[in-house]
Amino acid sequence: RSRRRRDARALRGGLVLLRALVPPAAQQLVVDVVRAAAKAAGFYQPAYANGAKQHLRMLCFGYHWNLQSGKYEKTRANHDGAKVPPIPRALRELATWAAARAAEVDPSVLGRAAAGAEGGGVFEPDICIVNFYEAGAALGMHQDKHEGAETLRDGAPVVSVAIGLGAAAQ
């Protein structure tokens, strides 16, 4: 019980922090899955319409985040035009599992999904963005708010998983 309080806590309504959620072996599985997918699809460095580039590399699954248009797309239109690969099963399962753990602390994180599946609260991710940060790379403060009207209305969760070195360790 005390572990749950230390490892999972609501920061505010609909925002839950889960610390030390993914054990090292599962973190390695995530890295291995992403590396395998990156061999086929490849990471890219997102660029703004003015040509400035973000200080990270990105790989999208399910839908591609087009930084120039501010929209999610089925192809990597602002990079190579390739079709976006599906979300790997391991990443889909991790996001679903993390959303369920967060809902144990604050059921509102599931939005309308909490009422689905006979009240079981099922979250099915359809977008997965992997950000890869090399030494000195960063992503500034931002808010994920470009989702469709239905997604926003339904309060669908955004699950963020961070693995690797802590920010202070960099």
Side-chain angles (χ1 to χ4, degrees):
R1 189 173 177 174
S2 64
R3 182 177 173 186
R4 178 181 277 174
R5 285 191 193 135
R6 186 178 50 225
D7 294 345
R9 66 186 172 110
L11 300 178
R12 59 195 281 187
L15 178 62
V16 174
L17 175 65
L18 303 169
R19 290 185 156 282
L21 176 72
V22 183
Q27 290 183 38
Q28 186 61 55
L29 174 64
V30 168
V31 170
D32 293 345
V33 166
V34 170
R35 280 183 178 155
K39 283 182 183 177
F43 279 96
Y44 68 98
Q45 189 173 17
Y48 295 95
N50 67 5
K53 294 191 175 198
Q54 287 192 326
H55 300 286
L56 58 84
R57 290 189 292 149
M58 182 180 284
L59 175 58
C60 299
F61 299 102
Y63 286 88
H64 169 76
W65 171 246
N66 185 329
L67 185 60
Q68 295 176 11
S69 69
K71 296 181 180 183
Y72 291 102
E73 304 169 340
K74 287 303 253 176
T75 63
R76 296 170 18 149
N78 63 323
H79 177 57
D80 59 7
K83 185 178 178 195
V84 181
I87 302 172
R89 184 174 140 207
L91 299 182
R92 182 184 309 281
E93 289 174 356
L94 176 59
T96 301
W97 182 70
R101 298 297 75 75
E104 291 173 2
V105 176
D106 179 357
S108 75
V109 300
L110 293 179
R112 288 194 184 176
E118 301 171 14
V122 177
F123 163 63
E124 287 291 333
D126 60 354
I127 299 167
C128 177
I129 299 175
V130 176
N131 292 331
F132 179 70
Y133 302 89
E134 296 175 300
L139 177 62
M141 184 68 77
H142 71 285
Q143 180 181 14
D144 294 313
K145 60 181 182 179
H146 295 284
E147 285 67 27
E150 180 180 344
T151 301
L152 293 172
R153 183 191 71 239
D154 290 350
V158 172
V159 176
S160 179
V161 176
I163 60 173
L165 295 175
Q170 303 260 341

